[in-house]
Amino acid sequence: MQKNKRIGVFDSGIGGLSLLKAGYWQLPNEAWLYVADEAYLPYGDKTTEKVRERAKMITEFFIKCDVKAIVIACNTATATAIDFLRETYRETIFIGVEPAVKPAAKLTKTKVIGILATDATTESLRLNKLVQTFGEGIKVLVQPCPGLVESIENGNHHEAKTHKLIKMYVEPMLSQGVDVLALGCTHYSFVKKAIRDIVGDSVTLIDTSKPVIDELKYRLSRQKLLSNEKNSKIEFWTTNSIKNDSSKFETFWGNPIKVGYLNI
Ligand code: DGL
């Protein structure tokens, strides 16, 4: 049965777990396959060609596993590869994640919004188009955050460094009057509290996990592909050494899990 097939989710690392968590809670009947392309993290400093090549390899793994849909739980891979993937694999349903320019533009009162993202996302045509389309009459500050993804991946050991980086990237935006800040990288969901501590309560933070899962639900239901049998199994894979990644995955997932090595 098509409905009982799994949903593939991927990111360069643990960032996409923030989206998977939302999926796990919002769609309790679905089973999932998660791939972290840790051997190629970060995607943010890679060329478009490289990110596309990695996205293609992971997509082919998912297709072999016969998934019913693929969630690109990475703003960088969405920005650089989703059009290419949709053109190449026409039968496959792809759901991507993009910085929330439109919702931020609707919410702002100061008419200054901020987008935090990776280098590759900030340079992408897709983000520039979003800003052009929805940012009329609004000052959109697009801030690349090199080093932040790697620091978040290093977890608690790098808490002070992570804090310092966030401060460095966010403070200039605050002084320009930003009142809405969109998290344009799925890794940043894991440091929402640190960002909140720096920006204070008057700035709205937008995380796109829930709307992405809403969109996935809508697409699956439109095609009569939503599972109606309880099955919330998840398989976790990494392209890096399992020895290094297993405990990290557990920390970010929040429960004991088994992680497999994916040699692609
Ligand atoms: N979580 C990815 C994103 O949303 C991080 C990309 C990276 O590895 O630099 O963009």
Side-chain angles (χ1 to χ4, degrees):
M1 274 274 272
Q2 294 280 98
K3 284 181 179 191
N4 297 337
K5 290 182 178 178
R6 294 175 291 180
I7 299 164
V9 181
F10 79 93
D11 179 35
S12 59
I14 53 87
L17 292 177
S18 55
L19 253 162
L20 184 64
K21 278 187 193 183
Y24 184 75
W25 292 113
Q26 281 174 244
L27 302 172
N29 290 340
E30 302 297 338
W32 311 83
L33 264 175
Y34 185 85
V35 172
D37 198 11
E38 292 276 352
Y40 290 83
L41 178 129
Y43 279 175
D45 67 2
K46 305 285 181 298
T47 61
T48 297
E49 290 68 33
K50 190 71 208 171
V51 179
R52 277 187 193 163
E53 182 193 309
R54 295 307 301 162
K56 184 171 187 282
M57 296 189 89
I58 297 165
T59 296
E60 283 176 5
F61 167 71
F62 283 147
I63 290 174
K64 252 191 244 147
C65 297
D66 203 22
V67 298
K68 62 182 174 185
I70 296 177
V71 179
I72 307 174
C74 173
N75 291 260
T76 311
T78 302
T80 52
I82 198 167
D83 292 339
F84 160 77
L85 293 172
R86 284 181 173 148
E87 272 161 31
T88 312
Y89 305 96
R90 289 178 181 265
E91 305 293 304
T92 306
I93 299 174
F94 289 99
I95 308 290
V97 54
E98 292 189 295
V101 180
K102 188 179 172 186
K106 270 196 183 158
L107 284 171
T108 183
K109 295 204 168 54
T110 59
K111 302 287 172 215
V112 189
I113 65 171
I115 316 289
L116 298 172
T118 66
D119 283 295
T121 303
T122 57
E123 286 159 17
S124 69
L125 210 64
R126 272 188 91 92
L127 179 60
N128 284 300
K129 273 196 195 148
L130 275 180
V131 172
Q132 261 173 28
T133 314
F134 301 111
E136 219 189 299
I138 284 167
K139 192 165 167 190
V140 184
L141 307 174
V142 178
Q143 177 64 55
C145 307
L148 190 52
V149 162
E150 298 93 307
S151 192
I152 294 168
E153 287 269 334
N154 282 322
N156 291 343
H157 317 295
H158 277 227
E159 224 168 75
K161 184 172 175 201
T162 301
H163 197 268
K164 207 168 135 194
L165 285 171
I166 297 171
K167 219 168 144 73
M168 184 170 92
Y169 296 135
V170 162
E171 274 180 353
M173 299 173 121
L174 294 178
S175 57
Q176 290 183 73
V178 156
D179 67 343
V180 185
L181 200 52
L183 309 184
C185 169
T186 49
H187 277 77
Y188 305 164
S189 298
F190 285 105
V191 289
K192 241 188 283 176
K193 193 185 166 307
I195 299 175
R196 170 64 67 212
D197 286 347
I198 293 164
V199 301
D201 289 334
S202 57
V203 173
T204 305
L205 297 181
I206 309 186
D207 182 346
T208 17
S209 307
K210 189 182 175 299
V212 171
I213 300 301
D214 289 344
E215 169 70 12
L216 170 68
K217 187 175 177 184
Y218 170 73
R219 291 284 300 279
L220 292 178
S221 96
R222 211 178 54 180
Q223 306 208 18
K224 310 227 174 323
L225 284 174
L226 272 177
S227 164
N228 38 25
E229 279 169 33
K230 179 120 185 84
N231 177 11
S232 49
K233 270 202 203 124
I234 312 176
E235 242 179 52
F236 295 91
W237 296 93
T238 174
T239 55
N240 210 356
S241 136
I242 317 172
K243 206 165 89 225
N244 293 342
D245 286 350
S246 288
S247 66
K248 176 165 75 180
F249 268 60
E250 278 194 11
T251 308
F252 284 94
W253 183 250
N255 272 311
I257 49 173
K258 234 181 99 197
V259 183
Y261 170 58
L262 181 63
N263 186 10
I264 55 167

